[in-house]
Amino acid sequence: MDGNGRWAENKEKPRYEGHQAGLKTLSKVIEFVYKYKISHLSVYAFSSENWLRPNSEVKNLLTLFEKAIDDNFNFLIENKICFHLLGNISKFPKSLQKKIENLKDYTRKNNKFHFYLAANYGSREELLFAAEKLKIHRKPITETIFKKAMYVPKLPDVDLLIRTGGETRLSNFLLWQSAYAEIYFTKILWPDFNKKNLDNALSFFDKKVRKFGKIN
Ligand code: IPE
Ligand code: MG
């Protein structure tokens, strides 16, 4: 969900207003995706490298996460959405960690729609986390065994990866899971991303013939 800061700067607003606008976009996108009966949605909200941003911005983002959980708690429960966290939350403030754990607990049995929030997430860290867990494994490690050692084994392979904001890189997001993802880059800044943009990305995906290394 890239482009919040530039969206705000273009409007001569402080960057946090861009993040606030980005959160509104996220709520709308969740609704559209849910209505389309897509069953898994992952979003990259905060990377393990984002700690390098100015303290005030990091603080704003963490406060916004708490607000987002408070504001959407009932929505997730009412719509039978299962909430998953991808990442290492031990560096987050205790109050935020508690809210995340609580939300995971309350929604763990839901299976209509799976929402994965990548927060303090880095794909290399995730791969190391899995490798570390498997250190004592005596038998040969298969893809299935490796997958089970990752943050959320339930997370399926990525079909469509959308990056807004004009950059054409993955920035350490779901590298293992995106091995065969169709990747859609758009210059639209995340707060401006709307239903039409989502539909464009989905029709880009629909046109793809996915061969997974085979001829047909
Ligand atoms: C993405 O927007 C949101 C987060 C990383 C939290 P940015 O904050 O990266 O926005 P730009 O790239 O500066 O426009
Ligand atoms: Mg950015």
Side-chain angles (χ1 to χ4, degrees), residues 1-6 15 50 53 163-165 167 169:
M1 301 185 287
D2 200 11
N4 294 348
R6 280 165 284 164
R15 287 177 59 89
N50 286 151
R53 294 188 176 201
R163 179 166 187 159
T164 58
E167 304 295 354
R169 54 175 170 259

Side-chain angles (χ1 to χ4, degrees), residues 193-210:
F193 190 82
N194 59 23
K195 185 164 182 298
K196 175 101 189 21
N197 303 130
L198 177 68
D199 289 347
N200 288 343
L202 292 173
S203 63
F204 157 89
F205 177 77
D206 278 342
K207 288 193 202 104
K208 295 284 172 189
V209 180
R210 307 185 80 204

Side-chain angles (χ1 to χ4, degrees), residues 56-73:
S56 57
E57 174 146 348
V58 170
K59 259 191 154 171
N60 277 326
L61 283 166
L62 296 177
T63 309
L64 203 59
F65 289 160
E66 294 211 27
K67 186 176 152 30
I69 293 179
D70 290 342
D71 292 354
N72 293 291
F73 200 91

Side-chain angles (χ1 to χ4, degrees), residues 20-129:
Q20 283 173 337
L23 178 57
K24 283 195 187 134
T25 297
L26 175 60
S27 300
K28 280 192 233 142
V29 167
I30 292 176
E31 266 181 55
F32 299 142
V33 168
Y34 184 85
K35 279 190 190 142
Y36 283 151
K37 299 200 164 40
I38 291 168
S39 49
H40 298 263
L41 173 72
S42 313
V43 299
Y44 204 2
F46 192 88
S47 81
S48 39
E49 290 77 31
N50 286 151
W51 295 105
L52 300 171
R53 294 188 176 201
N55 232 333
S56 57
E57 174 146 348
V58 170
K59 259 191 154 171
N60 277 326
L61 283 166
L62 296 177
T63 309
L64 203 59
F65 289 160
E66 294 211 27
K67 186 176 152 30
I69 293 179
D70 290 342
D71 292 354
N72 293 291
F73 200 91
N74 289 334
F75 173 83
L76 294 173
I77 289 169
E78 280 161 18
N79 290 288
K80 302 206 171 14
I81 297 173
C82 184
F83 175 87
H84 307 268
L85 196 284
L86 296 170
N88 172 358
I89 59 166
S90 62
K91 266 172 90 180
F92 286 153
K94 285 274 171 300
S95 57
L96 177 56
Q97 289 185 36
K98 234 177 148 177
K99 282 185 181 167
I100 289 172
E101 290 305 337
N102 201 22
L103 186 55
K104 270 167 59 182
D105 259 10
Y106 264 89
T107 63
R108 82 166 2 114
K109 292 208 174 115
N110 294 344
N111 60 8
K112 206 165 165 196
F113 180 82
H114 293 270
F115 177 69
Y116 305 81
L117 181 79
N120 191 18
Y121 176 82
S123 196
R124 288 183 177 178
E125 268 187 23
E126 179 178 30
L127 295 171
L128 289 174
F129 169 86

Side-chain angles (χ1 to χ4, degrees), residues 152-200:
V152 182
K154 209 183 198 105
L155 174 69
D157 275 358
V158 175
D159 288 317
L160 170 64
L161 190 149
I162 302 172
R163 179 166 187 159
T164 58
E167 304 295 354
T168 50
R169 54 175 170 259
L170 297 182
S171 299
N172 207 10
F173 186 57
L174 300 180
L175 301 181
W176 169 283
Q177 298 87 340
S178 297
Y180 277 96
E182 304 298 336
I183 306 184
Y184 184 82
F185 294 110
T186 168
K187 290 198 170 108
I188 304 281
L189 303 174
W190 176 249
D192 289 329
F193 190 82
N194 59 23
K195 185 164 182 298
K196 175 101 189 21
N197 303 130
L198 177 68
D199 289 347
N200 288 343

